[in-house]
Amino acid sequence: MGIELPPAISSALAQLPFLSSIGMLATSSVLKFYNGLKLVSHLPGLRTPFSPYSFLGFTAPVTWWNPGLKFLWEGRKDHYLYKYFGSENFSITPWISGAPLIVSSNLDVLRQTAFGSFRSDFEKPEEMSRALLFWVTISLVLTGRSGGDIAVSGWGDKDTIDIEVVQKLTHKFTLLIISTCGFGLDFDWAEPPAPPDGRMTVQQAFKIVVDRNMAVTFMPRWVHKLVPTTYFREVDEAINEMSRFMKAQVTSRKAAVRSGNGDIDAFTLMVKANEEEGSKYKLNESELIGNVFVLLFAGHETTAVTLAAAMIYLALNPEIEKEVLQNIIEVVGWNGKPTFEDYGKLDKVLAVFLEVLIGCYPSGHLMFRKATKDTTLKLPRPGTMMVIDMVGLQYNPRYFEDPESFKPSRWCGVSKDSDAFTAFSIGPRECIGRKFATVEAVALLALLLRDFKIEPLLLNGETLDAWKTRVLDASASDHFGGE
């Protein structure tokens, strides 16, 4: 015969599992927070429930207890966070989700963690990959100059071209250049007709993979099937189409390499090098395709975004645009085409590209390193995540005078080996595509600036100030980490 408990006691017992779970979560959070403070050596900083670089921190509503990525971006760019904490280093210590971090805008810390004598004490975390900047729609007017001869399909003989989304133009330019010059892929400016079987074209697939990189990179494929929307269906179709295309390319290039008839481009050279490797270091087909795609993606995305941003700043600074145009005319003339030999003479064109890429909005704006043991930095303990803040570094007045101003002239005469060129990383781990990117950018900017005057395109009756505020509102998808 059972004992009937009073309702109050029964209700309390029913809540025990819930209360127990709450207690375990609270205990776990306290321990995580305490251990996190030890990892960052109690360095002053932000104390939040989620790391902004964790899934929960990225997706949770932005509020006082979850400041979000935009707050961090702006706080680093204007050095507010560094001023608030009184240091060039601050910490982020979450108590529920994410790893504790030390964020630094100090060049000496960058040198030691990335390529100095202590770089073996740090490793690149596998969970972090390249960070990207995402820009709002950039609208510009291109007015043809007399004597200009640059031709783009669809523009015809128009004197004035309104471009509502400049990124589409620069992405198409850079994708064509890297795909043909770097990888020997037969991409054309005009959109090819759809295959008779209804599949996506390679260009369409590549665009979807790039535009929806979060769904491609971060979400497992099985998540796409749980949410059977057109968005995820197109992502899966694009991934499958790119996979088919890349596998076919690898197969044909292997055959060409073995027959001694391979083209000299980056793709073929990677296949050739892989074929010559011993079995211990040889990449399988999937790994080889992954490396090629990363190069293809990184090789055009950064340059395209920076070129679009450069056009914004030139539209806002007509006097600088005139100076750069004079440099172009002196070197190339009104009817000539820039050659590789002209690259070193177009120093003011290069300076504009570098000012945007390095000084204004570095696209690879975070560098993550994890300490593997105690080092003479005295900041990290083993397991501590170091984040080198490229934005904060470039806006650090200790290294750059008047960092808020657009001053391309600061890069004229600076040695290519200078530590100031942090956008391509520095030291032995410098980006191998640096020269390709800068030559490509200088050639394209030289032609565009010579043949067109760049002006703001005001949409829906907006003022120039409103346009400036809109187009300069870059946001960072820091969730994917950094270099």
Side-chain angles (χ1 to χ4, degrees):
M1 188 174 171
I3 300 175
E4 185 174 345
L5 297 173
I9 296 178
S10 297
S11 176
L13 290 174
Q15 295 179 31
L16 276 179
F18 173 73
L19 294 174
S20 176
S21 298
I22 293 295
M24 291 176 62
L25 177 61
T27 303
S28 172
S29 297
V30 170
L31 289 174
K32 177 178 175 59
F33 184 64
Y34 174 75
N35 290 329
L37 288 176
K38 286 202 303 182
L39 279 173
V40 299
S41 301
H42 294 268
L43 185 70
L46 300 174
R47 309 295 182 242
T48 58
F50 316 123
S51 167
Y53 308 106
S54 69
F55 177 75
L56 290 176
F58 184 77
T59 57
V62 175
T63 183
W64 63 268
W65 50 264
N66 184 45
L69 299 176
K70 189 173 181 63
F71 170 78
L72 285 178
W73 167 262
E74 293 174 348
R76 289 155 40 210
K77 184 171 178 287
D78 63 14
H79 256 242
Y80 165 76
L81 290 174
Y82 297 103
K83 293 173 185 174
Y84 181 81
F85 294 115
S87 172
E88 293 177 346
N89 311 285
F90 68 89
S91 65
I92 301 176
T93 310
W95 65 78
I96 293 179
S97 174
L101 309 166
I102 292 177
V103 183
S104 177
S105 63
N106 184 282
L107 188 56
D108 290 329
V109 174
L110 167 62
R111 291 190 185 105
Q112 294 180 69
T113 56
F115 65 92
S117 57
F118 305 106
R119 70 170 184 256
S120 61
D121 298 342
F122 295 85
E123 62 184 9
K124 183 177 180 179
E126 292 183 4
E127 64 270 26
M128 299 299 182
S129 57
R130 186 174 173 273
L132 301 176
L133 287 180
F134 293 93
W135 290 79
V136 296
T137 301
I138 301 171
S139 49
L140 293 171
V141 178
L142 300 184
T143 304
R145 304 184 195 271
S146 60
D149 66 352
I150 189 170
V152 175
S153 176
W155 287 5
D157 298 324
K158 298 178 182 177
D159 292 329
T160 301
I161 298 98
D162 294 349
I163 305 176
E164 293 192 7
V165 185
V166 173
Q167 296 98 313
K168 288 184 178 180
L169 177 68
T170 57
H171 274 82
K172 203 163 189 177
F173 270 124
T174 57
L175 175 58
L176 283 172
I177 292 170
I178 188 66
S179 60
T180 54
C181 300
F183 296 91
L185 303 180
D186 189 20
F187 284 10
D188 194 84
W189 182 267
E191 186 72 26
D197 58 5
R199 294 204 327 258
M200 288 182 181
T201 64
V202 175
Q203 286 93 327
Q204 290 170 333
F206 187 83
K207 184 177 187 303
I208 288 175
V209 170
V210 169
D211 290 348
R212 306 178 191 179
N213 65 83
M214 286 189 65
V216 174
T217 308
F218 183 68
M219 293 183 180
R221 296 288 293 276
W222 59 264
V223 174
H224 301 179
K225 294 179 173 57
L226 291 178
V227 189
T229 62
T230 301
Y231 181 94
F232 287 121
R233 180 184 58 76
E234 290 177 348
V235 167
D236 285 338
E237 185 180 347
I239 293 173
N240 292 334
E241 182 58 40
M242 285 301 300
S243 178
R244 281 193 292 267
F245 175 75
M246 298 301 274
K247 285 179 180 178
Q249 288 290 321
V250 168
T251 299
S252 65
R253 286 161 194 271
K254 281 182 178 179
V257 166
R258 289 165 185 165
S259 65
N261 297 320
D263 294 329
I264 306 301
D265 56 54
F267 196 163
T268 303
L269 291 175
M270 286 181 70
V271 172
K272 184 174 185 294
N274 194 54
E275 289 292 287
E276 294 172 350
E277 281 286 359
S279 58
K280 181 178 179 181
Y281 300 104
K282 192 171 185 176
L283 301 176
N284 60 37
E285 186 176 80
S286 177
E287 292 169 333
L288 180 60
I289 289 173
N291 277 275
V292 170
F293 183 78
V294 167
L295 284 175
L296 186 60
F297 173 74
H300 95 283
E301 178 74 17
T302 299
T303 309
V305 170
T306 307
L307 284 170
M311 294 170 74
I312 295 176
Y313 280 96
L314 289 170
L316 290 170
N317 295 273
E319 291 304 316
I320 293 178
E321 183 186 7
K322 288 180 182 178
E323 290 179 20
V324 176
L325 175 62
Q326 185 61 36
N327 178 217
I328 296 167
I329 300 307
E330 290 174 356
V331 176
V332 181
W334 283 109
N335 299 309
K337 295 182 179 179
T339 65
F340 184 74
E341 288 69 29
D342 294 328
Y343 170 76
K345 304 172 189 175
L346 294 167
D347 56 329
K348 291 187 177 179
V349 184
L350 177 61
V352 168
F353 182 72
L354 293 177
E355 175 70 354
V356 175
L357 177 64
I358 301 174
C360 296
Y361 291 96
S363 55
H365 56 99
L366 294 172
M367 181 183 291
F368 287 82
R369 292 294 183 267
K370 182 186 290 185
T372 57
K373 60 183 180 180
D374 283 322
T375 73
T376 54
L377 285 176
K378 300 299 182 185
L379 281 174
R381 293 170 179 257
T384 302
M385 192 82 74
M386 291 293 302
V387 182
I388 308 302
D389 177 10
M390 298 302 192
V391 173
L393 194 154
Q394 299 300 338
Y395 280 82
N396 189 335
R398 186 214 287 228
Y399 307 120
F400 294 93
E401 182 181 355
D402 195 12
E404 297 289 340
S405 299
F406 181 65
K407 288 185 176 180
S409 58
R410 77 175 91 228
W411 301 103
C412 293
V414 176
S415 168
K416 67 180 182 65
D417 298 319
S418 169
D419 285 350
F421 292 108
T422 54
F424 295 99
S425 193
I426 50 181
R429 296 186 183 184
E430 177 185 276
C431 173
I432 60 173
R434 169 177 167 173
K435 190 63 174 285
F436 187 99
T438 53
V439 170
E440 169 192 15
V442 165
L444 183 54
L445 273 177
L447 288 173
L448 280 172
L449 292 177
R450 183 194 64 183
D451 296 346
F452 295 97
K453 178 178 175 58
I454 302 173
E455 299 172 296
L457 174 60
L458 307 180
L459 300 177
N460 303 319
E462 67 185 343
T463 65
L464 181 60
D465 287 340
W467 179 88
K468 180 179 178 180
T469 300
R470 173 170 62 84
V471 300
L472 291 180
D473 184 22
S475 61
S477 176
D478 294 17
H479 181 72
F480 288 105
E483 192 271 342

